[in-house]
């Protein structure tokens, strides 16, 4: 996997922990917003072919994940990146 995918996978636990802090504050929306900002930084400047390759890598990684919350985040990431294509 390339460094963008490695970075996304490495940061997934950070988003999970942030959401667990306090659901009362609708932290999920804040976390997803922050995640989208991070993805925009990476995916607004690269060619379509690289984006498509990253999506395939993430989908492959998704098949290995057993944690439900992590799967939800990965689905969110993939769906957002697909909009960039």
């Amino acid at each position: 996997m390339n460094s963008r995918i490695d970075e996304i996978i490495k940061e997934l636990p950070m988003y999970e922990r942030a959401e667990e802090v306090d659901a009362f504050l609708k932290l999920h929306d804040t976390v997803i917003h922050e995640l989208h900002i991070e993805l925009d930084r990476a995916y607004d400047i690269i060619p379509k072919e690289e984006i498509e390759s990253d999506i395939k890598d993430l989908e492959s990684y998704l098949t290995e994940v057993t944690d439900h919350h992590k799967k939800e985040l990965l689905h969110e990431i993939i769906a957002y990146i697909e909009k960039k294509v």
Side-chain angles (χ1 to χ4, degrees):
M1 285 187 233
N2 67 50
S3 60
R4 279 186 307 276
I5 300 301
D6 289 338
E7 191 65 27
I8 289 170
I9 291 169
K10 185 178 85 181
E11 290 183 358
L12 280 177
M14 175 184 69
Y15 293 110
E16 290 175 347
R17 284 192 299 274
E19 286 195 337
E20 292 169 359
V21 172
D22 190 353
F24 179 74
L25 298 174
K26 297 195 176 196
L27 211 44
H28 176 78
D29 294 339
T30 303
V31 167
I32 295 302
H33 176 70
E34 290 297 320
L35 182 57
H36 288 177
I37 290 171
E38 290 295 319
L39 294 172
D40 285 343
R41 286 185 190 138
Y43 288 98
D44 282 348
I45 58 173
I46 64 172
K48 177 182 174 181
E49 295 79 23
E50 289 185 43
I51 295 173
E52 290 170 341
S53 174
D54 285 5
I55 291 169
K56 287 179 183 160
D57 286 347
L58 284 168
E59 287 173 340
S60 174
Y61 178 72
L62 184 60
T63 63
E64 303 169 15
V65 173
T66 56
D67 180 83
H68 177 71
H69 189 70
K70 193 175 279 188
K71 278 187 181 245
E72 285 180 355
L73 284 170
L74 282 167
H75 281 295
E76 176 74 29
I77 290 167
I78 292 168
Y80 195 75
I81 294 172
E82 285 175 337
K83 292 178 185 177
K84 301 287 181 186
V85 177

